[in-house]
């Protein structure tokens, strides 16, 4: 699988980036996708597959592309990384504070994305540089620490 930026549009403080994604399979099948990352969300603009995808495969396409697109949208070294601190880990992830401060920032990223109508989990993924699974774990820790409201309100039985 390969992902590379196709083009980028900047308007005020917002940036929208189009990515070309190619999935190649051992049997010669291939899928080409034009994906858009902007406003905290990822959308697929165009999908071409040879042979054509079934509806079930098309429904799973987002899961197949999630990690590669996420890795592509995390800024690496260079001008796109201006908002990162000068220190970063070997994998190009932004430095994220541990403990309570990190959980507080997770909650802040999550709530900001919700208020803007964007995907809060994707916002946490892009902010921390972690996978979806790790980001969900961090969000859960922020909930457990009281920085976010509980996911489900427990009902008390009427006695």
């Amino acid at each position: 699988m390969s992902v590379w930026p196709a083009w980028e549009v900047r308007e005020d403080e917002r940036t929208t980036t189009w990515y070309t994604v190619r999935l190649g399979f051992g049997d010669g099948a291939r899928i080409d996708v034009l994906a858009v990352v902007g406003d905290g969300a990822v959308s697929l603009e165009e999908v071409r597959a040879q042979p054509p995808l079934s509806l079930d495969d098309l429904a799973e396409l987002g899961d197949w592309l999630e990690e590669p697109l996420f890795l592509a949208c995390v800024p690496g070294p260079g001008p796109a990384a201006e908002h990162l601190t000068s220190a970063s880990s070997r994998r190009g992830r932004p430095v994220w504070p541990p403990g309570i401060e990190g959980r507080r920032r997770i909650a802040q990223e999550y709530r900001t994305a919700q208020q803007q109508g964007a995907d809060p989990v994707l916002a946490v993924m892009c902010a921390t540089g972690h996978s979806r699974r790790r980001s969900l774990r961090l969000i859960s820790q922020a909930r457990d620490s009281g920085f976010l409201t509980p996911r489900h309100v427990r009902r008390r039985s009427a006695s």
Side-chain angles (χ1 to χ4, degrees):
M1 180 179 305
S2 50
V3 178
W4 60 96
W7 66 89
E8 181 176 271
V9 175
R10 294 178 189 209
E11 184 178 347
D12 298 323
E13 295 179 12
R14 295 177 16 186
T15 301
T16 303
T17 307
W18 282 259
Y19 291 94
T20 303
V21 182
R22 174 166 286 165
L23 289 89
F25 299 92
D27 62 357
R30 109 171 167 247
I31 302 172
D32 292 317
V33 176
L34 182 62
V36 182
V37 178
D39 293 329
V42 176
S43 60
L44 304 180
E45 290 234 336
E46 183 177 324
V47 177
R48 293 182 183 189
Q50 187 63 20
L53 294 173
S54 69
L55 288 177
D56 291 336
D57 288 343
L58 187 59
E60 291 181 24
L61 184 60
D63 293 336
W64 294 345
L65 300 178
E66 179 179 36
E67 179 109 8
L69 280 173
F70 167 71
L71 292 174
C73 85
V74 173
E82 295 167 355
H83 71 281
L84 301 178
T85 61
S86 58
S88 64
S89 72
R90 287 189 338 228
R91 297 183 75 185
R93 289 188 179 139
V95 175
W96 200 258
I100 290 292
E101 181 58 29
R103 289 185 210 120
R104 185 184 332 265
R105 286 183 53 193
I106 293 288
Q108 180 181 9
E109 290 286 338
Y110 188 93
R111 282 193 304 270
T112 300
Q114 271 187 327
Q115 291 167 354
Q116 294 174 350
D119 181 355
V121 177
L122 182 62
V124 171
M125 289 169 60
C126 286
T128 62
H130 288 294
S131 68
R132 184 172 189 82
R133 180 174 289 164
R134 177 70 175 130
S135 294
L136 287 169
R137 193 174 305 132
L138 292 170
I139 291 167
S140 175
Q141 291 171 357
R143 284 187 200 287
D144 293 345
S145 297
F147 294 116
L148 293 170
T149 58
R151 181 95 173 127
H152 302 286
V153 178
R154 293 188 175 145
R155 298 180 190 180
R156 296 183 181 205
S157 60
S159 319

